[in-house]
């Protein structure tokens, strides 16, 4: 009888020990998972992402101004399903390059537009977009569709700094401004919406080469102005292959609808001048880490080798016929809009799809990170 009692007590002790081990193991697993989650939430690489430019980076500022150039309606934003998504005013089916750059740096996955009333200075403290679709380096370009000129974007940047100082204090505001990642993408509209459209008279004032020089001077003035306002690490995008956007292919009917090589040559020559200007500014302005983003070659390579990204159509947009539609002409009434934008280079007749924007953003992220070294 005593032996059975001892065996029972021994078994009970073994079970109790087993339970303790199980609970301890579970606690270790939970702690490890918690630790992993904490380490996954890394400190942001930069305090904020600050953006200037045109529709390639405008996340919704045109919604708030009196212009016909808008995209805050379907099917724009149809694949932007994260909180704050939908038809935000981005000229895309989803996100733009600054959104991906922000996320890669450990910041929110959407960079808000400065004029969007849904956001406040609390949101802008980690990222803000001053860009306006349809604008250019030339102030006359902005007047074509009544959008924000680049000078106004700089004015908003000044106002932003004042608001930021009130929100986080002068010292923290200065830290954010001087350590932020600056992204600038502008220039295409100056040629396609202004010079070649012959609506502002610039084509009478300048040869195309002279106009390129004029624009590069404006770019230099702009970059110097944001440097004086505290920007220190900036990426400046060159022109893409402007003759290969679907709208220009459509207008190039006399040459079979292919890329307009005259326009592409102009873009290449402009880009050479931009790179020389960037080198001058880097040598002239102390501590200015300014880098060129080579969008042109990346775009041409992807058009020539679409299989690299699994693309099937690089000559037309997904929206509507894909040949001329943009803005209000790209709407959810048209039955021709493609089902899968991931197969297309272009979303509408002018702008890339989210898939291509993600691809381009990787180059911007890598170049910007090189400025930290």
């Amino acid at each position: 009888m005593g032996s059975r009692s001892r065996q029972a007590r021994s078994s009970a002790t073994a079970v109790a020990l087993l339970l303790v081990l199980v609970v301890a193991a579970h606690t270790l697993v939970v702690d490890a998972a918690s630790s992993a989650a904490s380490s996954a939430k890394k400190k942001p690489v930069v305090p904020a992402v600050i953006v200037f430019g045109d529709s390639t980076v405008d996340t919704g500022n045109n919604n708030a101004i009196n212009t016909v150039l808008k995209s805050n309606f379907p099917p724009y934003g149809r694949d932007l399903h994260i909180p704050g998504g939908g038809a935000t005013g981005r000229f895309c089916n989803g996100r733009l390059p600054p959104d991906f750059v922000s996320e890669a740096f450990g910041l929110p996955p959407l960079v808000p537009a400065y004029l969007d009333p849904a956001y406040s200075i609390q949101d802008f403290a980690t990222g803000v977009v001053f860009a306006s679709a349809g604008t250019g380096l030339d102030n006359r370009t902005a007047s074509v569709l009544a959008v924000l000129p680049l000078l106004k974007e700089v004015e908003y940047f000044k106002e932003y700094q004042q608001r930021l100082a009130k929100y986080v204090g002068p010292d923290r505001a200065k830290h954010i401004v001087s350590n932020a990642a600056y992204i600038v993408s502008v220039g295409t509209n100056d040629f396609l919406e202004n010079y070649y459209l012959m609506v502002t008279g610039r084509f009478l004032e300048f040869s195309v080469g002279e106009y390129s020089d004029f624009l590069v001077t404006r770019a230099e003035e702009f970059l110097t102005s944001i440097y004086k306002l505290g920007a220190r690490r900036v990426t400046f995008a060159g022109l893409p292959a402007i003759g290969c956007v679907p709208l220009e292919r459509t207008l190039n009917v006399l040459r079979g609808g292919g890329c307009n090589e005259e326009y592409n040559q102009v873009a290449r020559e402009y880009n050479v001048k931009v790179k020389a200007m960037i080198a001058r500014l880097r040598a002239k302005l102390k501590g200015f880490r300014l880098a060129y983003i080579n969008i042109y070659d990346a775009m041409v390579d992807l058009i020539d080798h679409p299989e690299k990204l699994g693309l099937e159509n690089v000559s037309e947009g997904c929206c509507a016929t894909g040949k001329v539609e943009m803005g209000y002409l790209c709407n959810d009434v048209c039955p021709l809009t493609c089902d899968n934008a991931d197969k297309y280079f272009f979303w509408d007749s002018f702008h890339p799809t989210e898939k291509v924007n993600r691809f381009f953003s990787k180059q911007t992220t890598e170049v910007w990170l090189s400025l930290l070294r």
Side-chain angles (χ1 to χ4, degrees):
M1 188 75 178
S3 174
R4 287 183 181 182
S5 177
R6 285 193 299 272
Q7 287 178 355
R9 285 196 299 271
S10 177
S11 297
T13 302
V15 170
L17 285 172
L18 182 60
L19 286 172
V20 169
L21 288 172
V22 168
V23 170
H26 179 264
T27 301
L28 287 172
V29 169
V30 170
D31 288 345
S34 178
S35 176
S38 297
S39 62
K41 192 176 181 181
K42 298 178 181 178
K43 180 181 178 182
V45 176
V46 295
V49 171
I50 299 177
V51 187
F52 298 90
D54 55 25
S55 59
T56 54
V57 290
D58 179 6
T59 57
N61 282 313
N62 275 21
N63 301 346
I65 62 177
N66 188 22
T67 177
V68 296
L69 190 56
K70 298 178 186 288
S71 59
N72 55 339
F73 45 83
Y76 286 102
R78 73 173 193 188
D79 299 313
L80 188 52
H81 302 306
I82 60 179
T88 59
R90 289 167 171 81
F91 280 81
C92 185
N93 61 305
R95 288 194 279 172
L96 302 183
D99 297 315
F100 291 112
V101 172
S102 178
E103 185 176 46
F105 287 165
L107 295 168
L110 295 178
V111 187
Y114 186 64
L115 299 182
D116 190 334
Y119 296 93
S120 68
I121 191 61
Q122 181 178 357
D123 304 295
F124 301 144
T126 56
V128 61
V129 173
F130 300 107
S132 176
T135 201
L137 292 160
D138 182 354
N139 285 333
R140 289 194 194 175
T141 301
S143 70
V144 175
L145 291 170
V147 299
L148 302 177
L150 206 54
L151 286 173
K152 188 64 178 178
E153 293 186 26
V154 175
E155 286 182 21
Y156 281 136
F157 181 41
K158 294 177 183 177
E159 179 184 275
Y160 162 74
Q161 292 193 39
Q162 294 171 354
R163 294 175 63 189
L164 189 63
K166 290 180 181 178
Y167 175 63
V168 298
D171 292 341
R172 179 60 184 169
K174 185 177 180 180
H175 172 81
I176 291 172
V177 169
S178 62
N179 289 280
Y182 289 82
I183 297 171
V184 184
S185 179
V186 66
T188 296
N189 297 318
D190 291 303
F191 290 99
L192 300 186
E193 182 187 307
N194 182 344
Y195 190 86
Y196 286 118
L197 205 55
M198 299 183 285
V199 292
T200 69
R202 290 300 196 199
F203 74 102
L204 296 173
E205 297 177 46
F206 303 106
S207 68
V208 69
E210 291 170 340
Y211 189 57
S212 288
D213 291 336
F214 172 80
L215 294 178
V216 172
T217 299
R218 302 289 80 75
E220 186 169 358
E221 291 171 351
F222 163 76
L223 290 168
T224 301
S225 71
I226 64 170
Y227 169 83
K228 290 179 178 178
L229 290 171
R232 287 298 178 269
R233 296 183 179 91
V234 182
T235 58
F236 188 91
L239 287 183
I242 60 176
C244 290
V245 299
L247 180 60
E248 297 309 323
R249 286 175 181 264
T250 300
L251 297 175
N252 197 27
V253 288
L254 296 179
R255 297 175 186 172
C259 293
N260 187 322
E261 291 305 328
E262 176 189 345
Y263 288 6
N264 284 347
Q265 179 62 27
V266 167
R268 290 193 294 269
E269 292 173 355
Y270 166 87
N271 288 341
V272 169
K273 296 173 181 178
V274 165
K275 285 186 277 187
M277 177 270 292
I278 285 175
R280 286 196 306 272
L281 281 185
R282 287 187 63 134
K284 176 182 176 183
L285 301 177
K286 183 180 179 181
F288 199 20
R289 305 299 300 276
L290 178 60
Y292 173 77
I293 301 295
N294 184 3
I295 292 294
Y296 186 97
D297 288 344
M299 177 176 175
V300 170
D301 182 63
L302 199 53
I303 288 175
D304 290 342
H305 305 285
E307 70 281 357
K308 288 185 176 181
L309 206 59
L311 304 178
E312 296 179 6
N313 191 325
V314 296
S315 60
E316 299 168 327
C318 165
C319 189
T321 67
K323 297 181 182 297
V324 297
E325 294 86 356
M326 178 180 65
Y328 284 115
L329 292 178
C330 171
N331 54 65
D332 60 355
V333 176
C334 183
L336 301 176
T337 298
C338 77
D339 293 326
N340 185 1
D342 283 350
K343 295 180 179 180
Y344 284 71
F345 186 109
F346 296 96
W347 164 247
D348 59 19
S349 67
F350 215 80
H351 304 96
T353 58
E354 179 184 67
K355 186 176 186 179
V356 173
N357 281 334
R358 182 190 294 271
F359 175 78
F360 285 154
S361 74
K362 293 178 182 177
Q363 181 188 13
T364 301
T365 302
E366 291 169 2
V367 170
W368 201 94
L369 287 173
S370 71
L371 298 179
L372 293 175
R373 300 186 189 117

